[in-house]
Amino acid sequence: MSQYQRLLLIADPQQHQSPAARRAAALAQASGAALHALVFVEPPARTYLWEEHLEDSERQAYLQRHERWLQVEAEWMREQGVEVTTQVIWSTQVLKDMLAYIDEFQPDLLIKDVTLESALKRVFVTPLDCHLLREAPVPVHLVNDAPHKLPRRIVAAVDPAQSDTQISGLNGLIIRAANALALQCDAQLHLLYAYDLMPMLDGVAPVASTAWSVNCLDELRESLHKEFERLGDEYNVPQEFRHFIMGPPVPGIAQFVDEYLVDVVVMGTVHRTGFGRLIGSTTERALYSMPGSILAVKGGAAC
């Protein structure tokens, strides 16, 4: 049975046969899903800079250029047997209009190229991709690179230590989404937890920390490993595909992706408020820190 019925590609008019477009076409072909390719067109930069008014004829000409480009993209997909429809939308508030469209369309999977932003820019402006990770109501597949049109290795990155992932059932959502993609692509499914016990030592006096670490950190590690194995057993992940590694989450996941040539990392996002929203989630930090691509599923709210 197909895992997907409706796929939504937010296409990048700056790229021909982009990684996300190739991934979307391959998934649609493998699943038989209907693919809708969408481009949001903003007014030219000069209209923002000088507050110029764009005449209707200019706007239509601008839209037509994007429509012609999108039809070229759709044609090579159709040649591969993909059922694809296209749409170009004029927007002066891309994020707002994009989220409204996604909410109404309700695809099984949203697919988009990663838009790389500098670290300095991300300090002052939240990238569109991060907004989608936080706010899109459907699974979001952000494609950074796609050496294989269909992924061959998929890893579900879980976190048994976080109470919010337990409460929302996010770990289960992550594994089920990873398994659905793996089944559709006939790919290997791996389960990964990169654990970091060092933050547990914060605030502990140096003399006390050694004794505390000997007695407590081993117990904590064993507790986390037990929960990790429980998840693996519950979802029938083969033992050789379970990876319980020590280290900070983002570097640990990035190293694993590089060593195992992972195509897609499936991670969770939790709606956060307060300071947690400012520093971003592990998924957001991983987006710009590792090779491969991310598929993000959404859990409940956390403070």
Side-chain angles (χ1 to χ4, degrees), residues 54-89:
L54 201 65
E55 298 294 337
D56 286 343
S57 59
E58 292 180 286
R59 185 175 74 171
Q60 289 303 316
Y62 199 56
L63 284 170
Q64 287 171 5
R65 285 199 296 272
H66 285 82
E67 287 170 349
R68 286 194 295 270
W69 172 86
L70 189 56
Q71 287 305 317
V72 170
E73 292 297 288
E75 188 56 35
W76 68 259
M77 296 181 189
R78 293 185 181 115
E79 289 173 356
Q80 298 181 19
V82 176
E83 178 188 342
V84 57
T85 54
T86 63
Q87 188 174 3
V88 175
I89 295 178

PDB file of all heavy atoms in Angstrom, residues 54-89:
ATOM      1  N   LEU A  54       3.816  48.291  -8.890  1.00  0.00           N
ATOM      2  CA  LEU A  54       3.980  47.419 -10.039  1.00  0.00           C
ATOM      3  C   LEU A  54       2.679  47.376 -10.827  1.00  0.00           C
ATOM      4  O   LEU A  54       1.637  47.005 -10.304  1.00  0.00           O
ATOM      5  CB  LEU A  54       4.349  46.008  -9.554  1.00  0.00           C
ATOM      6  CG  LEU A  54       5.043  45.088 -10.560  1.00  0.00           C
ATOM      7  CD1 LEU A  54       6.413  45.636 -10.925  1.00  0.00           C
ATOM      8  CD2 LEU A  54       5.175  43.682  -9.975  1.00  0.00           C
ATOM      9  N   GLU A  55       2.757  47.790 -12.086  1.00  0.00           N
ATOM     10  CA  GLU A  55       1.574  47.782 -12.937  1.00  0.00           C
ATOM     11  C   GLU A  55       1.113  46.341 -13.172  1.00  0.00           C
ATOM     12  O   GLU A  55       1.900  45.402 -13.128  1.00  0.00           O
ATOM     13  CB  GLU A  55       1.889  48.449 -14.278  1.00  0.00           C
ATOM     14  CG  GLU A  55       2.299  49.914 -14.173  1.00  0.00           C
ATOM     15  CD  GLU A  55       1.158  50.795 -13.687  1.00  0.00           C
ATOM     16  OE1 GLU A  55      -0.017  50.380 -13.847  1.00  0.00           O
ATOM     17  OE2 GLU A  55       1.428  51.888 -13.178  1.00  0.00           O
ATOM     18  N   ASP A  56      -0.193  46.205 -13.437  1.00  0.00           N
ATOM     19  CA  ASP A  56      -0.748  44.867 -13.660  1.00  0.00           C
ATOM     20  C   ASP A  56      -0.050  44.152 -14.808  1.00  0.00           C
ATOM     21  O   ASP A  56       0.201  42.950 -14.738  1.00  0.00           O
ATOM     22  CB  ASP A  56      -2.245  44.963 -13.949  1.00  0.00           C
ATOM     23  CG  ASP A  56      -3.045  45.278 -12.689  1.00  0.00           C
ATOM     24  OD1 ASP A  56      -2.489  45.107 -11.583  1.00  0.00           O
ATOM     25  OD2 ASP A  56      -4.220  45.667 -12.814  1.00  0.00           O
ATOM     26  N   SER A  57       0.258  44.891 -15.863  1.00  0.00           N
ATOM     27  CA  SER A  57       0.923  44.275 -17.012  1.00  0.00           C
ATOM     28  C   SER A  57       2.308  43.775 -16.634  1.00  0.00           C
ATOM     29  O   SER A  57       2.743  42.702 -17.088  1.00  0.00           O
ATOM     30  CB  SER A  57       1.030  45.280 -18.162  1.00  0.00           C
ATOM     31  OG  SER A  57       1.763  46.437 -17.750  1.00  0.00           O
ATOM     32  N   GLU A  58       3.028  44.535 -15.802  1.00  0.00           N
ATOM     33  CA  GLU A  58       4.347  44.103 -15.341  1.00  0.00           C
ATOM     34  C   GLU A  58       4.231  42.863 -14.466  1.00  0.00           C
ATOM     35  O   GLU A  58       5.040  41.932 -14.561  1.00  0.00           O
ATOM     36  CB  GLU A  58       5.031  45.222 -14.568  1.00  0.00           C
ATOM     37  CG  GLU A  58       5.421  46.434 -15.391  1.00  0.00           C
ATOM     38  CD  GLU A  58       6.091  47.487 -14.531  1.00  0.00           C
ATOM     39  OE1 GLU A  58       5.377  48.155 -13.745  1.00  0.00           O
ATOM     40  OE2 GLU A  58       7.334  47.625 -14.605  1.00  0.00           O
ATOM     41  N   ARG A  59       3.249  42.866 -13.600  1.00  0.00           N
ATOM     42  CA  ARG A  59       3.070  41.723 -12.716  1.00  0.00           C
ATOM     43  C   ARG A  59       2.737  40.470 -13.511  1.00  0.00           C
ATOM     44  O   ARG A  59       3.270  39.389 -13.243  1.00  0.00           O
ATOM     45  CB  ARG A  59       1.965  42.001 -11.686  1.00  0.00           C
ATOM     46  CG  ARG A  59       1.829  40.878 -10.669  1.00  0.00           C
ATOM     47  CD  ARG A  59       0.839  41.206  -9.592  1.00  0.00           C
ATOM     48  NE  ARG A  59      -0.533  41.135 -10.076  1.00  0.00           N
ATOM     49  CZ  ARG A  59      -1.612  41.204  -9.301  1.00  0.00           C
ATOM     50  NH1 ARG A  59      -1.469  41.385  -7.992  1.00  0.00           N
ATOM     51  NH2 ARG A  59      -2.815  41.117  -9.797  1.00  0.00           N
ATOM     52  N   GLN A  60       1.864  40.599 -14.512  1.00  0.00           N
ATOM     53  CA  GLN A  60       1.507  39.458 -15.333  1.00  0.00           C
ATOM     54  C   GLN A  60       2.714  38.913 -16.100  1.00  0.00           C
ATOM     55  O   GLN A  60       2.908  37.698 -16.202  1.00  0.00           O
ATOM     56  CB  GLN A  60       0.385  39.830 -16.313  1.00  0.00           C
ATOM     57  CG  GLN A  60      -0.966  40.031 -15.652  1.00  0.00           C
ATOM     58  CD  GLN A  60      -1.419  38.805 -14.868  1.00  0.00           C
ATOM     59  OE1 GLN A  60      -1.294  37.672 -15.340  1.00  0.00           O
ATOM     60  NE2 GLN A  60      -1.944  39.029 -13.669  1.00  0.00           N
ATOM     61  N   ALA A  61       3.531  39.821 -16.607  1.00  0.00           N
ATOM     62  CA  ALA A  61       4.733  39.389 -17.325  1.00  0.00           C
ATOM     63  C   ALA A  61       5.688  38.668 -16.380  1.00  0.00           C
ATOM     64  O   ALA A  61       6.310  37.660 -16.747  1.00  0.00           O
ATOM     65  CB  ALA A  61       5.420  40.598 -17.961  1.00  0.00           C
ATOM     66  N   TYR A  62       5.793  39.166 -15.177  1.00  0.00           N
ATOM     67  CA  TYR A  62       6.663  38.555 -14.163  1.00  0.00           C
ATOM     68  C   TYR A  62       6.158  37.154 -13.806  1.00  0.00           C
ATOM     69  O   TYR A  62       6.928  36.196 -13.707  1.00  0.00           O
ATOM     70  CB  TYR A  62       6.682  39.468 -12.942  1.00  0.00           C
ATOM     71  CG  TYR A  62       7.842  39.254 -11.997  1.00  0.00           C
ATOM     72  CD1 TYR A  62       9.154  39.321 -12.441  1.00  0.00           C
ATOM     73  CD2 TYR A  62       7.619  39.005 -10.644  1.00  0.00           C
ATOM     74  CE1 TYR A  62      10.221  39.153 -11.581  1.00  0.00           C
ATOM     75  CE2 TYR A  62       8.678  38.829  -9.764  1.00  0.00           C
ATOM     76  CZ  TYR A  62       9.978  38.899 -10.241  1.00  0.00           C
ATOM     77  OH  TYR A  62      11.023  38.718  -9.381  1.00  0.00           O
ATOM     78  N   LEU A  63       4.837  37.028 -13.627  1.00  0.00           N
ATOM     79  CA  LEU A  63       4.247  35.727 -13.318  1.00  0.00           C
ATOM     80  C   LEU A  63       4.412  34.746 -14.477  1.00  0.00           C
ATOM     81  O   LEU A  63       4.689  33.561 -14.265  1.00  0.00           O
ATOM     82  CB  LEU A  63       2.756  35.897 -12.994  1.00  0.00           C
ATOM     83  CG  LEU A  63       2.402  36.458 -11.618  1.00  0.00           C
ATOM     84  CD1 LEU A  63       0.924  36.800 -11.545  1.00  0.00           C
ATOM     85  CD2 LEU A  63       2.767  35.453 -10.530  1.00  0.00           C
ATOM     86  N   GLN A  64       4.240  35.239 -15.692  1.00  0.00           N
ATOM     87  CA  GLN A  64       4.339  34.363 -16.858  1.00  0.00           C
ATOM     88  C   GLN A  64       5.728  33.773 -17.013  1.00  0.00           C
ATOM     89  O   GLN A  64       5.878  32.614 -17.429  1.00  0.00           O
ATOM     90  CB  GLN A  64       3.936  35.122 -18.126  1.00  0.00           C
ATOM     91  CG  GLN A  64       2.433  35.367 -18.221  1.00  0.00           C
ATOM     92  CD  GLN A  64       2.055  36.301 -19.352  1.00  0.00           C
ATOM     93  OE1 GLN A  64       2.922  36.715 -20.146  1.00  0.00           O
ATOM     94  NE2 GLN A  64       0.780  36.655 -19.431  1.00  0.00           N
ATOM     95  N   ARG A  65       6.763  34.561 -16.665  1.00  0.00           N
ATOM     96  CA  ARG A  65       8.121  34.019 -16.734  1.00  0.00           C
ATOM     97  C   ARG A  65       8.271  32.836 -15.787  1.00  0.00           C
ATOM     98  O   ARG A  65       8.867  31.810 -16.118  1.00  0.00           O
ATOM     99  CB  ARG A  65       9.141  35.111 -16.382  1.00  0.00           C
ATOM    100  CG  ARG A  65       9.350  36.133 -17.479  1.00  0.00           C
ATOM    101  CD  ARG A  65      10.649  36.882 -17.291  1.00  0.00           C
ATOM    102  NE  ARG A  65      10.674  37.674 -16.073  1.00  0.00           N
ATOM    103  CZ  ARG A  65      10.229  38.920 -15.978  1.00  0.00           C
ATOM    104  NH1 ARG A  65       9.688  39.515 -17.049  1.00  0.00           N
ATOM    105  NH2 ARG A  65      10.305  39.584 -14.847  1.00  0.00           N
ATOM    106  N   HIS A  66       7.689  32.944 -14.575  1.00  0.00           N
ATOM    107  CA  HIS A  66       7.761  31.853 -13.612  1.00  0.00           C
ATOM    108  C   HIS A  66       6.898  30.673 -14.053  1.00  0.00           C
ATOM    109  O   HIS A  66       7.267  29.511 -13.832  1.00  0.00           O
ATOM    110  CB  HIS A  66       7.331  32.349 -12.228  1.00  0.00           C
ATOM    111  CG  HIS A  66       8.366  33.193 -11.544  1.00  0.00           C
ATOM    112  ND1 HIS A  66       8.512  34.535 -11.823  1.00  0.00           N
ATOM    113  CD2 HIS A  66       9.309  32.878 -10.607  1.00  0.00           C
ATOM    114  CE1 HIS A  66       9.503  35.008 -11.075  1.00  0.00           C
ATOM    115  NE2 HIS A  66       9.992  34.040 -10.339  1.00  0.00           N
ATOM    116  N   GLU A  67       5.765  30.960 -14.680  1.00  0.00           N
ATOM    117  CA  GLU A  67       4.907  29.876 -15.155  1.00  0.00           C
ATOM    118  C   GLU A  67       5.594  29.077 -16.256  1.00  0.00           C
ATOM    119  O   GLU A  67       5.510  27.840 -16.286  1.00  0.00           O
ATOM    120  CB  GLU A  67       3.583  30.451 -15.655  1.00  0.00           C
ATOM    121  CG  GLU A  67       2.678  30.925 -14.523  1.00  0.00           C
ATOM    122  CD  GLU A  67       1.482  31.709 -15.022  1.00  0.00           C
ATOM    123  OE1 GLU A  67       1.462  32.060 -16.229  1.00  0.00           O
ATOM    124  OE2 GLU A  67       0.579  31.992 -14.208  1.00  0.00           O
ATOM    125  N   ARG A  68       6.284  29.774 -17.158  1.00  0.00           N
ATOM    126  CA  ARG A  68       7.013  29.071 -18.220  1.00  0.00           C
ATOM    127  C   ARG A  68       8.113  28.195 -17.625  1.00  0.00           C
ATOM    128  O   ARG A  68       8.315  27.053 -18.058  1.00  0.00           O
ATOM    129  CB  ARG A  68       7.597  30.082 -19.213  1.00  0.00           C
ATOM    130  CG  ARG A  68       6.564  30.721 -20.127  1.00  0.00           C
ATOM    131  CD  ARG A  68       7.225  31.432 -21.287  1.00  0.00           C
ATOM    132  NE  ARG A  68       8.037  32.571 -20.840  1.00  0.00           N
ATOM    133  CZ  ARG A  68       7.565  33.818 -20.713  1.00  0.00           C
ATOM    134  NH1 ARG A  68       6.303  34.085 -20.996  1.00  0.00           N
ATOM    135  NH2 ARG A  68       8.361  34.788 -20.326  1.00  0.00           N
ATOM    136  N   TRP A  69       8.825  28.734 -16.632  1.00  0.00           N
ATOM    137  CA  TRP A  69       9.877  27.956 -15.984  1.00  0.00           C
ATOM    138  C   TRP A  69       9.287  26.707 -15.323  1.00  0.00           C
ATOM    139  O   TRP A  69       9.829  25.604 -15.444  1.00  0.00           O
ATOM    140  CB  TRP A  69      10.590  28.809 -14.935  1.00  0.00           C
ATOM    141  CG  TRP A  69      11.562  28.026 -14.104  1.00  0.00           C
ATOM    142  CD1 TRP A  69      12.867  27.754 -14.389  1.00  0.00           C
ATOM    143  CD2 TRP A  69      11.280  27.362 -12.860  1.00  0.00           C
ATOM    144  NE1 TRP A  69      13.416  26.961 -13.412  1.00  0.00           N
ATOM    145  CE2 TRP A  69      12.475  26.704 -12.458  1.00  0.00           C
ATOM    146  CE3 TRP A  69      10.156  27.254 -12.052  1.00  0.00           C
ATOM    147  CZ2 TRP A  69      12.552  25.961 -11.276  1.00  0.00           C
ATOM    148  CZ3 TRP A  69      10.232  26.512 -10.878  1.00  0.00           C
ATOM    149  CH2 TRP A  69      11.418  25.881 -10.501  1.00  0.00           C
ATOM    150  N   LEU A  70       8.156  26.873 -14.639  1.00  0.00           N
ATOM    151  CA  LEU A  70       7.553  25.756 -13.922  1.00  0.00           C
ATOM    152  C   LEU A  70       7.038  24.696 -14.890  1.00  0.00           C
ATOM    153  O   LEU A  70       7.102  23.496 -14.592  1.00  0.00           O
ATOM    154  CB  LEU A  70       6.421  26.266 -13.025  1.00  0.00           C
ATOM    155  CG  LEU A  70       5.827  25.258 -12.033  1.00  0.00           C
ATOM    156  CD1 LEU A  70       6.913  24.663 -11.141  1.00  0.00           C
ATOM    157  CD2 LEU A  70       4.748  25.927 -11.176  1.00  0.00           C
ATOM    158  N   GLN A  71       6.543  25.102 -16.041  1.00  0.00           N
ATOM    159  CA  GLN A  71       6.080  24.130 -17.026  1.00  0.00           C
ATOM    160  C   GLN A  71       7.232  23.291 -17.568  1.00  0.00           C
ATOM    161  O   GLN A  71       7.079  22.093 -17.840  1.00  0.00           O
ATOM    162  CB  GLN A  71       5.349  24.830 -18.177  1.00  0.00           C
ATOM    163  CG  GLN A  71       3.973  25.351 -17.803  1.00  0.00           C
ATOM    164  CD  GLN A  71       3.084  24.263 -17.219  1.00  0.00           C
ATOM    165  OE1 GLN A  71       3.035  23.129 -17.724  1.00  0.00           O
ATOM    166  NE2 GLN A  71       2.384  24.589 -16.140  1.00  0.00           N
ATOM    167  N   VAL A  72       8.402  23.915 -17.713  1.00  0.00           N
ATOM    168  CA  VAL A  72       9.591  23.162 -18.134  1.00  0.00           C
ATOM    169  C   VAL A  72       9.934  22.112 -17.080  1.00  0.00           C
ATOM    170  O   VAL A  72      10.259  20.961 -17.402  1.00  0.00           O
ATOM    171  CB  VAL A  72      10.780  24.114 -18.363  1.00  0.00           C
ATOM    172  CG1 VAL A  72      12.071  23.318 -18.569  1.00  0.00           C
ATOM    173  CG2 VAL A  72      10.520  25.009 -19.558  1.00  0.00           C
ATOM    174  N   GLU A  73       9.855  22.498 -15.799  1.00  0.00           N
ATOM    175  CA  GLU A  73      10.126  21.553 -14.723  1.00  0.00           C
ATOM    176  C   GLU A  73       9.099  20.414 -14.722  1.00  0.00           C
ATOM    177  O   GLU A  73       9.442  19.249 -14.529  1.00  0.00           O
ATOM    178  CB  GLU A  73      10.104  22.273 -13.369  1.00  0.00           C
ATOM    179  CG  GLU A  73      11.242  23.252 -13.160  1.00  0.00           C
ATOM    180  CD  GLU A  73      12.586  22.548 -13.155  1.00  0.00           C
ATOM    181  OE1 GLU A  73      12.902  21.830 -12.188  1.00  0.00           O
ATOM    182  OE2 GLU A  73      13.333  22.703 -14.139  1.00  0.00           O
ATOM    183  N   ALA A  74       7.844  20.771 -14.924  1.00  0.00           N
ATOM    184  CA  ALA A  74       6.790  19.749 -14.903  1.00  0.00           C
ATOM    185  C   ALA A  74       6.941  18.776 -16.059  1.00  0.00           C
ATOM    186  O   ALA A  74       6.627  17.579 -15.921  1.00  0.00           O
ATOM    187  CB  ALA A  74       5.418  20.421 -14.951  1.00  0.00           C
ATOM    188  N   GLU A  75       7.449  19.252 -17.175  1.00  0.00           N
ATOM    189  CA  GLU A  75       7.541  18.398 -18.355  1.00  0.00           C
ATOM    190  C   GLU A  75       8.509  17.238 -18.142  1.00  0.00           C
ATOM    191  O   GLU A  75       8.212  16.097 -18.507  1.00  0.00           O
ATOM    192  CB  GLU A  75       7.981  19.230 -19.568  1.00  0.00           C
ATOM    193  CG  GLU A  75       7.923  18.476 -20.891  1.00  0.00           C
ATOM    194  CD  GLU A  75       6.544  17.903 -21.177  1.00  0.00           C
ATOM    195  OE1 GLU A  75       5.536  18.549 -20.822  1.00  0.00           O
ATOM    196  OE2 GLU A  75       6.467  16.791 -21.754  1.00  0.00           O
ATOM    197  N   TRP A  76       9.675  17.497 -17.547  1.00  0.00           N
ATOM    198  CA  TRP A  76      10.607  16.380 -17.347  1.00  0.00           C
ATOM    199  C   TRP A  76      10.073  15.389 -16.302  1.00  0.00           C
ATOM    200  O   TRP A  76      10.379  14.200 -16.357  1.00  0.00           O
ATOM    201  CB  TRP A  76      12.011  16.866 -16.999  1.00  0.00           C
ATOM    202  CG  TRP A  76      12.214  17.525 -15.667  1.00  0.00           C
ATOM    203  CD1 TRP A  76      12.312  18.856 -15.428  1.00  0.00           C
ATOM    204  CD2 TRP A  76      12.388  16.889 -14.383  1.00  0.00           C
ATOM    205  NE1 TRP A  76      12.524  19.110 -14.091  1.00  0.00           N
ATOM    206  CE2 TRP A  76      12.581  17.925 -13.425  1.00  0.00           C
ATOM    207  CE3 TRP A  76      12.401  15.570 -13.953  1.00  0.00           C
ATOM    208  CZ2 TRP A  76      12.774  17.658 -12.068  1.00  0.00           C
ATOM    209  CZ3 TRP A  76      12.585  15.302 -12.605  1.00  0.00           C
ATOM    210  CH2 TRP A  76      12.777  16.334 -11.671  1.00  0.00           C
ATOM    211  N   MET A  77       9.253  15.890 -15.371  1.00  0.00           N
ATOM    212  CA  MET A  77       8.624  14.981 -14.419  1.00  0.00           C
ATOM    213  C   MET A  77       7.587  14.095 -15.115  1.00  0.00           C
ATOM    214  O   MET A  77       7.512  12.885 -14.863  1.00  0.00           O
ATOM    215  CB  MET A  77       7.962  15.774 -13.297  1.00  0.00           C
ATOM    216  CG  MET A  77       8.925  16.568 -12.434  1.00  0.00           C
ATOM    217  SD  MET A  77       8.045  17.453 -11.107  1.00  0.00           S
ATOM    218  CE  MET A  77       9.365  18.482 -10.451  1.00  0.00           C
ATOM    219  N   ARG A  78       6.792  14.701 -15.990  1.00  0.00           N
ATOM    220  CA  ARG A  78       5.770  13.929 -16.703  1.00  0.00           C
ATOM    221  C   ARG A  78       6.403  12.886 -17.609  1.00  0.00           C
ATOM    222  O   ARG A  78       5.842  11.806 -17.814  1.00  0.00           O
ATOM    223  CB  ARG A  78       4.868  14.874 -17.506  1.00  0.00           C
ATOM    224  CG  ARG A  78       4.012  15.787 -16.632  1.00  0.00           C
ATOM    225  CD  ARG A  78       3.049  16.624 -17.444  1.00  0.00           C
ATOM    226  NE  ARG A  78       2.258  17.496 -16.585  1.00  0.00           N
ATOM    227  CZ  ARG A  78       2.309  18.821 -16.593  1.00  0.00           C
ATOM    228  NH1 ARG A  78       3.110  19.454 -17.453  1.00  0.00           N
ATOM    229  NH2 ARG A  78       1.565  19.528 -15.767  1.00  0.00           N
ATOM    230  N   GLU A  79       7.562  13.195 -18.167  1.00  0.00           N
ATOM    231  CA  GLU A  79       8.268  12.229 -19.014  1.00  0.00           C
ATOM    232  C   GLU A  79       8.675  10.989 -18.224  1.00  0.00           C
ATOM    233  O   GLU A  79       8.908   9.937 -18.809  1.00  0.00           O
ATOM    234  CB  GLU A  79       9.495  12.893 -19.638  1.00  0.00           C
ATOM    235  CG  GLU A  79       9.148  13.917 -20.715  1.00  0.00           C
ATOM    236  CD  GLU A  79      10.368  14.679 -21.202  1.00  0.00           C
ATOM    237  OE1 GLU A  79      11.473  14.450 -20.644  1.00  0.00           O
ATOM    238  OE2 GLU A  79      10.224  15.502 -22.124  1.00  0.00           O
ATOM    239  N   GLN A  80       8.767  11.131 -16.888  1.00  0.00           N
ATOM    240  CA  GLN A  80       9.082  10.001 -16.031  1.00  0.00           C
ATOM    241  C   GLN A  80       7.826   9.300 -15.514  1.00  0.00           C
ATOM    242  O   GLN A  80       7.908   8.402 -14.669  1.00  0.00           O
ATOM    243  CB  GLN A  80       9.933  10.467 -14.840  1.00  0.00           C
ATOM    244  CG  GLN A  80      11.275  11.052 -15.253  1.00  0.00           C
ATOM    245  CD  GLN A  80      12.108  11.491 -14.072  1.00  0.00           C
ATOM    246  OE1 GLN A  80      11.877  11.069 -12.928  1.00  0.00           O
ATOM    247  NE2 GLN A  80      13.087  12.351 -14.317  1.00  0.00           N
ATOM    248  N   GLY A  81       6.675   9.716 -16.000  1.00  0.00           N
ATOM    249  CA  GLY A  81       5.431   9.073 -15.612  1.00  0.00           C
ATOM    250  C   GLY A  81       4.805   9.637 -14.358  1.00  0.00           C
ATOM    251  O   GLY A  81       3.918   9.002 -13.763  1.00  0.00           O
ATOM    252  N   VAL A  82       5.234  10.831 -13.948  1.00  0.00           N
ATOM    253  CA  VAL A  82       4.708  11.444 -12.733  1.00  0.00           C
ATOM    254  C   VAL A  82       3.480  12.285 -13.059  1.00  0.00           C
ATOM    255  O   VAL A  82       3.486  13.072 -14.019  1.00  0.00           O
ATOM    256  CB  VAL A  82       5.777  12.338 -12.055  1.00  0.00           C
ATOM    257  CG1 VAL A  82       5.193  13.056 -10.844  1.00  0.00           C
ATOM    258  CG2 VAL A  82       6.982  11.506 -11.656  1.00  0.00           C
ATOM    259  N   GLU A  83       2.427  12.100 -12.279  1.00  0.00           N
ATOM    260  CA  GLU A  83       1.233  12.945 -12.406  1.00  0.00           C
ATOM    261  C   GLU A  83       1.475  14.230 -11.628  1.00  0.00           C
ATOM    262  O   GLU A  83       1.501  14.229 -10.401  1.00  0.00           O
ATOM    263  CB  GLU A  83       0.011  12.220 -11.844  1.00  0.00           C
ATOM    264  CG  GLU A  83      -1.278  13.048 -11.878  1.00  0.00           C
ATOM    265  CD  GLU A  83      -2.413  12.373 -11.135  1.00  0.00           C
ATOM    266  OE1 GLU A  83      -2.337  11.159 -10.887  1.00  0.00           O
ATOM    267  OE2 GLU A  83      -3.387  13.092 -10.787  1.00  0.00           O
ATOM    268  N   VAL A  84       1.682  15.329 -12.333  1.00  0.00           N
ATOM    269  CA  VAL A  84       2.038  16.580 -11.665  1.00  0.00           C
ATOM    270  C   VAL A  84       1.167  17.726 -12.157  1.00  0.00           C
ATOM    271  O   VAL A  84       0.894  17.860 -13.343  1.00  0.00           O
ATOM    272  CB  VAL A  84       3.539  16.906 -11.890  1.00  0.00           C
ATOM    273  CG1 VAL A  84       3.885  16.982 -13.369  1.00  0.00           C
ATOM    274  CG2 VAL A  84       3.923  18.206 -11.175  1.00  0.00           C
ATOM    275  N   THR A  85       0.705  18.519 -11.216  1.00  0.00           N
ATOM    276  CA  THR A  85       0.003  19.762 -11.523  1.00  0.00           C
ATOM    277  C   THR A  85       0.866  20.911 -11.039  1.00  0.00           C
ATOM    278  O   THR A  85       1.743  20.751 -10.187  1.00  0.00           O
ATOM    279  CB  THR A  85      -1.377  19.812 -10.842  1.00  0.00           C
ATOM    280  OG1 THR A  85      -1.211  19.579  -9.429  1.00  0.00           O
ATOM    281  CG2 THR A  85      -2.299  18.753 -11.416  1.00  0.00           C
ATOM    282  N   THR A  86       0.620  22.099 -11.582  1.00  0.00           N
ATOM    283  CA  THR A  86       1.463  23.247 -11.265  1.00  0.00           C
ATOM    284  C   THR A  86       0.621  24.461 -10.889  1.00  0.00           C
ATOM    285  O   THR A  86      -0.541  24.574 -11.290  1.00  0.00           O
ATOM    286  CB  THR A  86       2.367  23.619 -12.453  1.00  0.00           C
ATOM    287  OG1 THR A  86       1.540  24.006 -13.569  1.00  0.00           O
ATOM    288  CG2 THR A  86       3.255  22.456 -12.859  1.00  0.00           C
ATOM    289  N   GLN A  87       1.229  25.361 -10.140  1.00  0.00           N
ATOM    290  CA  GLN A  87       0.541  26.583  -9.743  1.00  0.00           C
ATOM    291  C   GLN A  87       1.576  27.644  -9.368  1.00  0.00           C
ATOM    292  O   GLN A  87       2.578  27.349  -8.714  1.00  0.00           O
ATOM    293  CB  GLN A  87      -0.378  26.308  -8.552  1.00  0.00           C
ATOM    294  CG  GLN A  87      -1.285  27.460  -8.164  1.00  0.00           C
ATOM    295  CD  GLN A  87      -2.270  27.069  -7.065  1.00  0.00           C
ATOM    296  OE1 GLN A  87      -2.233  25.942  -6.558  1.00  0.00           O
ATOM    297  NE2 GLN A  87      -3.143  27.984  -6.691  1.00  0.00           N
ATOM    298  N   VAL A  88       1.320  28.860  -9.801  1.00  0.00           N
ATOM    299  CA  VAL A  88       2.160  30.000  -9.461  1.00  0.00           C
ATOM    300  C   VAL A  88       1.305  30.999  -8.703  1.00  0.00           C
ATOM    301  O   VAL A  88       0.216  31.373  -9.154  1.00  0.00           O
ATOM    302  CB  VAL A  88       2.767  30.654 -10.718  1.00  0.00           C
ATOM    303  CG1 VAL A  88       3.541  31.925 -10.350  1.00  0.00           C
ATOM    304  CG2 VAL A  88       3.679  29.672 -11.437  1.00  0.00           C
ATOM    305  N   ILE A  89       1.791  31.430  -7.535  1.00  0.00           N
ATOM    306  CA  ILE A  89       1.015  32.322  -6.674  1.00  0.00           C
ATOM    307  C   ILE A  89       1.802  33.598  -6.411  1.00  0.00           C
ATOM    308  O   ILE A  89       2.961  33.551  -5.984  1.00  0.00           O
ATOM    309  CB  ILE A  89       0.666  31.635  -5.335  1.00  0.00           C
ATOM    310  CG1 ILE A  89      -0.251  30.442  -5.566  1.00  0.00           C
ATOM    311  CG2 ILE A  89       0.035  32.626  -4.366  1.00  0.00           C
ATOM    312  CD1 ILE A  89      -0.606  29.682  -4.304  1.00  0.00           C
TER     313      ILE A  89
END
